[in-house]
Amino acid sequence: MDKPFQFKQFTIIQDRCAMKVGTDGVLLGALASLDINPDSILDIGAGTGVIALMLAQRSAAQTIDALEIDEAAYEQCVENFEASPWGDRLFCYHAGLDEFVAEWEDTYDLIVCNPPFYSEDVSSGNLSRDTARQNAALPFEELLNGVSLLLSEDGVFATIIPFKEEGEFLVLADNYGLYPQKITRIKGNPTSHIKRSVLQLGSTQTKVDIDELTIELTRHEYTQEYRTLTQDFYLKM
């Protein structure tokens, strides 16, 4: 479980991170739109740093900043950044979003966040893991407020949330002047229910591009669409 996760161009050491490399982070790292050729990127709640590293691989952005409040995860994220081919473009701050917003004056062209999901109390007996998973640690409202203050005028905010939270999240986002531009709904297999929504929002109201992505046809037999999406990252795609 804790052994390093080897991608094609970088390695994630994760033994001290509460949240390990998972499908949600990889989906967000691969699906976040780079259509505006962002020069600056911010990853809120970076964990291992996997999303920021994927975006460093995919983009020419000169500034890729990350925020991580958990000390052990922050230290591990820094190690993963420094060991990567893009260490000169990556920087992690040991800070919460609220304190970062209060002190920061620049804006970002692309902001990404794989936020804590579980609004109900979850207890695994591991405090760091529970904090990383519960949105009490970063409520959607606080996230959206921070993004609205840090996003450049034509910037994009990309996030992945439970599908059941999509409607409520978009209503909240509207209050902060953030409107959906693209929604990708994720299914585990062709017969399963939609589980996740990858949302891309910006300050312009536009026709929303909605599509669906299915990960597997059967157990460990991945769809061509998912293979194409992740083949630059996963060793076995």
Side-chain angles (χ1 to χ4, degrees), residues 72-85:
Y74 157 74
E75 289 170 359
Q76 201 133 64
C77 183
V78 169
E79 286 173 28
N80 289 329
F81 283 0
E82 289 176 349
S84 79

Side-chain angles (χ1 to χ4, degrees), residues 57-168:
Q57 180 179 324
R58 289 180 58 210
S59 79
Q62 286 306 298
T63 301
I64 305 175
D65 289 339
L67 300 182
E68 179 49 58
I69 197 167
D70 180 85
E71 187 167 6
Y74 157 74
E75 289 170 359
Q76 201 133 64
C77 183
V78 169
E79 286 173 28
N80 289 329
F81 283 0
E82 289 176 349
S84 79
W86 315 286
D88 58 332
R89 295 194 282 141
L90 291 151
F91 191 87
C92 190
Y93 294 90
H94 184 207
L97 179 59
D98 52 349
E99 53 186 315
F100 187 78
V101 168
E103 294 176 17
W104 201 250
E105 292 175 1
D106 294 334
T107 58
Y108 293 89
D109 302 324
L110 173 63
I111 299 177
V112 291
C113 181
N114 177 13
F117 282 163
Y118 299 85
S119 42
E120 64 273 15
D121 280 344
V122 288
S123 180
S124 64
N126 178 329
L127 185 62
S128 293
R129 182 174 170 79
D130 292 345
T131 302
R133 295 178 71 192
Q134 286 174 30
N135 70 16
L138 180 63
F140 285 158
E141 198 135 1
E142 183 187 324
L143 172 62
L144 287 160
N145 179 55
V147 168
S148 70
L149 297 169
L150 293 169
L151 194 65
S152 65
E153 193 176 339
D154 299 316
V156 173
F157 169 49
T159 188
I160 182 165
I161 61 170
F163 173 63
K164 65 181 170 63
E165 312 256 5
E166 182 188 295
E168 181 193 350

Side-chain angles (χ1 to χ4, degrees), residues 115 139-149 151 155-161 165-183 198-205 208:
F140 285 158
E141 198 135 1
E142 183 187 324
L143 172 62
L144 287 160
N145 179 55
V147 168
S148 70
L149 297 169
L151 194 65
V156 173
F157 169 49
T159 188
I160 182 165
I161 61 170
E165 312 256 5
E166 182 188 295
E168 181 193 350
F169 190 90
L170 292 176
V171 169
L172 280 174
D174 192 274
N175 296 337
Y176 291 97
L178 295 167
Y179 309 104
Q181 298 174 345
K182 182 169 172 58
I183 299 174
V198 176
L199 309 176
Q200 315 217 34
L201 301 94
S203 57
T204 309
Q205 288 183 285
V208 187

Side-chain angles (χ1 to χ4, degrees), residues 14-25:
Q14 53 183 354
D15 59 304
R16 287 180 290 133
C17 283
M19 297 307 287
K20 311 303 177 187
V21 172
T23 304
D24 287 347

